[in-house]
């Protein structure tokens, strides 16, 4: 199979043809990859030079053509998001989401540590395209090492005149922009884009009601684009090689490669940049060396722990945004009625590719204990603003924990389903769903294991 350079929407996964293509990890392992001199010696800032000869709208079009979708979780088309910035906006901000707190996800910290200049160049191109003069990087508080590396890279870029200085651009104009690095205090909720903006403004990290969306009213009430680290690091290569090339690497409406962070019961866990659309089974067997001890696989969390799990019958699904939403199976049981699986227009949410955090669990796993651990995380991280999430995540955590301890009561399984249904769709942000969706997924796919815990306790 060869890489298609023209097709923007290949009908089948090109994952075998795209094997070995590295875009965002291309400088991993290169000595001093975090230094500007190394980055430039390897072609860094050439893409910005090329983009400076283009009109901003041309860059947005190229990113649209590339089928780049946000790598922060929701998979929203990046070019489309950029085009939502109102033409008449006088002040536009770009904010990089480097909060990375979703359990199972640990890619952005590697990207920041190995190649901060790729992010800075991606930010420069994006800022020019959307009309931003001052961009921010919001980095999770615990990432102290990465914050130092990124700040040193920003300082180098200023010293080299790449930041804070005029660049000649198309139409005889100039472009100049600044970057500020802001350290968060380590809260999962501050990864949600509007909570992040509040935190950046010095306020409590509580999500805002949408609309208005950040593209219209974001940071300091101005038009703002929020993008994930990995998303922006794809932009220089899209400018250099073209949107069609990038789209041709992917599957369906998802272009490029995908970083996955594989943990759990595999022989070779790690952070891998892989072709978009690689099937789950190929990832586990061919890339990660299979399951240790020859044990059978029980299930896989495909996109961070906020995503419903796949069971062992679903391993041939490609790891791609739309495939995971449409191909994953949900059994017809009571707890799945209504939200969130019914998305309207006949579409039902199955699972999602999320943030690329893939957790593999084998037959030795106590699924109820696993689910209880996940629920305790979301209960702890709920910001408390919305009652269904504040109270509901606590209920899910407590009931799952008592079930896992073999102390479940008759009716607990139904209670979990009802509480999850009561959270989903009833909160300001998706942290509520981050607990409710996996809860429903675990209940529908592994219900007998939850019921067995009650039988033991009865
Ligand atoms: C509770 C919650 C936590 C989130 N955490 C992160 C995060 O740590 N990093 C991230 O990039 N996106 C996170 N997101 C998604 C962001 O709200 C936003 O969609 C994303 O940063 C947009 O960038 P993208 O379009 O490039 O993916 C989170 C969303 C929710 C609801």
């Amino acid at each position: 199979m060869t890489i298609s350079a023209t097709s923007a929407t290949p009908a089948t996964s090109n994952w075998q043809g795209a094997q070995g293509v590295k875009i965002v990890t291309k400088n991993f392992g290169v000595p001093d990859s975090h230094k500007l001199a190394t980055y430039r010696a390897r072609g860094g800032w050439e893409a910005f030079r090329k983009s400076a000869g283009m009109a901003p709208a041309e860059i947005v079009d190229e990113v649209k053509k590339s089928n780049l979708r946000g790598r922060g979780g929701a998979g929203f088309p990046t070019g489309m998001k950029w085009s939502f910035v109102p033409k008449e906006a006088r002040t536009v901000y770009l904010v990089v989401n480097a909060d990375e707190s979703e359990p199972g996800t640990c890619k952005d910290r590697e990207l920041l540590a190995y190649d901060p200049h790729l992010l800075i160049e991606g930010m420069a191109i994006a800022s020019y395209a959307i009309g931003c003069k001052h961009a921010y990087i919001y980095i999770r508080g615990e990432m102290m090492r990465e914050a130092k590396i990124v700040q040193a890279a920003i300082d180098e870029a200023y010293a080299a005149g790449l930041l804070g200085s005029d660049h000649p651009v198309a139409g005889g104009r100039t472009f100049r922009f600044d970057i500020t690095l802001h350290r968060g205090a380590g809260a999962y909720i501050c990864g949600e884009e509007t909570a992040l903006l509040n935190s950046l403004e010095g306020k409590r990290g509580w999500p805002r009601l949408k609309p208005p969306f950040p593209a219209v009213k974001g940071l300091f009430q101005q038009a703002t684009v929020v993008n994930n680290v990995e998303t922006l690091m794809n932009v220089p290569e899209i400018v250099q090689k073209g949107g069609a090339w990038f789209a041709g690497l992917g599957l369906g409406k998802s272009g490029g490669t995908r970083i996955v962070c594989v943990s759990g019961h595999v022989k070779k866990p790690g952070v891998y940049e892989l072709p978009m659309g690689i099937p789950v089974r190929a990832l586990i067997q061919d890339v990660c060396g299979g399951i240790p001890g020859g044990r059978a696989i029980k299930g896989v969390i495909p996109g961070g722990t906020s995503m419903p799990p796949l069971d062992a019958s679903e391993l041939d699904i490609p790891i791609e945004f739309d495939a995971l939403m449409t191909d994953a199976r949900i059994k017809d049981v009571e707890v799945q009625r209504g939200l969130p699986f019914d998305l309207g227009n006949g579409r039902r949410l199955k699972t999602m590719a999320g943030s690329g955090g893939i957790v593999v669990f084998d037959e030795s796993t106590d699924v109820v204990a696993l689910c209880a651990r996940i629920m305790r995380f979301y209960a702890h991280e709920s910001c408390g603003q919305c009652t269904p999430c504040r109270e509901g995540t606590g209920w899910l955590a407590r009931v799952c924990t008592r079930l896992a301890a073999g102390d479940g009561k008759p009716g607990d399984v139904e209670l979990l389903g009802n509480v999850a249904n009561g959270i989903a769709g009833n909160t300001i942000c998706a942290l509520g769903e981050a607990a409710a969706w996996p809860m429903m997924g675990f209940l529908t796919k592994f219900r007998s294991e939850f019921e067995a815990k009650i039988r033991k306790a009865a």
Side-chain angles (χ1 to χ4, degrees):
M1 198 182 282
T2 52
I3 297 171
S4 158
T6 50
S7 166
T9 51
T12 54
S13 171
N14 190 28
W15 75 269
Q16 281 154 322
Q19 274 185 91
V21 176
K22 303 286 180 230
I23 297 173
V24 290
T25 62
K26 65 182 176 210
N27 294 326
F28 277 33
V30 172
D32 283 336
S33 62
H34 59 291
K35 298 264 176 65
L36 182 57
T38 314
Y39 184 67
R40 280 184 136 167
R42 294 176 62 80
W45 285 89
E46 295 291 330
F48 175 76
R49 222 184 314 280
K50 183 174 176 190
S51 73
M54 298 163 74
E58 279 182 81
I59 301 171
V60 175
D61 279 348
E62 211 54 41
V63 173
K64 275 189 183 164
K65 221 187 284 172
S66 75
N67 287 340
L68 174 64
R69 292 171 70 168
R71 307 300 201 234
F76 194 83
T78 307
M80 195 190 294
K81 185 186 275 192
W82 292 5
S83 68
F84 289 158
V85 173
K87 300 271 170 298
E88 66 280 7
R90 294 181 64 187
T91 305
V92 180
Y93 290 111
L94 172 71
V95 177
V96 180
N97 192 338
D99 194 58
E100 189 166 73
S101 314
E102 172 79 358
T105 315
C106 50
K107 63 185 177 69
D108 294 341
R109 66 164 50 195
E110 301 299 328
L111 293 171
L112 293 168
Y114 280 108
D115 212 350
H117 288 286
L118 181 59
L119 175 65
I120 294 172
E121 187 179 7
M123 291 172 72
I125 298 170
S127 295
Y128 172 53
I130 63 172
C132 160
K133 296 190 177 68
H134 194 151
Y136 291 83
I137 303 172
Y138 185 97
I139 190 167
R140 177 178 169 182
E142 288 92 332
M143 293 195 204
M144 287 185 275
R145 179 186 70 130
E146 291 74 16
K148 278 191 191 145
I149 293 171
V150 173
Q151 188 58 59
I154 293 171
D155 295 344
E156 272 193 300
Y158 270 107
L162 297 166
L163 297 177
S165 304
D166 286 343
H167 296 272
V169 291
R173 289 171 297 126
T174 55
F175 165 72
R176 172 194 186 117
F177 99 120
D178 289 282
I179 296 182
T180 300
L181 176 71
H182 181 93
R183 290 186 57 208
Y188 175 69
I189 192 59
C190 288
E192 195 281 333
E193 57 186 6
T194 60
L196 184 157
L197 296 177
N198 272 345
S199 172
L200 197 48
E201 288 180 8
K203 299 178 184 141
R204 181 190 288 226
W206 271 7
R208 300 175 183 172
L209 268 175
K210 293 186 254 188
F213 289 92
V216 177
K217 220 177 225 195
L219 187 64
F220 307 123
Q221 303 292 305
Q222 304 299 321
T224 303
V225 167
V226 181
N227 271 140
N228 171 260
V229 171
E230 182 190 346
T231 309
L232 288 167
M233 286 174 76
N234 278 294
V235 170
E237 200 85 341
I238 291 171
V239 167
Q240 277 294 49
K241 297 197 172 148
W245 170 82
F246 191 87
L249 293 174
L251 170 63
K253 294 202 173 78
S254 305
T257 56
R258 184 79 214 254
I259 294 209
V260 291
C261 325
V262 191
S263 61
H265 297 146
V266 289
K267 286 187 186 152
K268 291 189 286 177
V271 176
Y272 299 96
E273 181 172 8
L274 296 171
M276 181 73 75
I278 183 172
V280 181
R281 193 186 304 280
L283 169 71
I284 295 170
Q285 296 301 342
D286 305 345
V287 179
C288 299
I291 312 289
R295 289 188 296 275
I297 191 163
K298 189 182 259 186
V300 176
I301 298 170
T305 56
S306 59
M307 297 303 154
L310 301 169
D311 66 22
S313 70
E314 299 176 296
L315 303 182
D316 293 316
I317 300 178
I319 300 172
E320 184 273 332
F321 297 102
D322 297 324
L324 281 162
M325 277 185 71
T326 49
D327 296 349
R329 189 172 51 86
I330 283 289
K331 291 175 196 149
D332 280 329
V333 294
E334 189 191 347
V335 289
Q336 75 180 74
R337 271 211 312 265
L339 288 170
F341 297 114
D342 187 353
L343 299 176
N345 301 329
R347 286 190 316 136
R348 312 196 89 201
L349 172 64
K350 309 301 174 67
T351 187
M352 285 171 80
S355 55
I358 296 183
V359 185
V360 179
F361 50 99
D362 71 20
E363 59 185 338
S364 68
T365 306
D366 179 341
V367 163
V368 182
L370 169 63
C371 190
R373 182 65 194 89
I374 293 172
M375 293 307 134
R376 287 198 295 274
F377 173 80
Y378 293 108
H380 182 260
E381 295 294 336
S382 172
C383 76
Q385 185 177 196
C386 308
T387 307
C389 176
R390 184 185 64 240
E391 301 299 325
T393 53
W395 272 94
L396 295 181
R398 285 192 299 277
V399 176
C400 274
T401 301
R402 80 169 175 235
L403 272 169
D407 203 16
K409 298 178 188 161
D412 271 357
V413 174
E414 292 72 21
L415 178 61
L416 287 172
N418 287 337
V419 173
N421 262 322
I423 300 172
N426 294 320
T427 53
I428 289 174
C429 88
L431 193 148
E433 276 94 6
W437 288 351
M439 187 69 248
M440 291 174 166
F442 275 107
L443 280 179
T444 55
K445 300 227 167 122
F446 301 99
R447 190 179 180 108
S448 61
E449 299 205 21
F450 286 81
E451 286 169 343
K453 295 283 186 186
I454 294 176
R455 278 201 291 276
K456 257 188 219 158

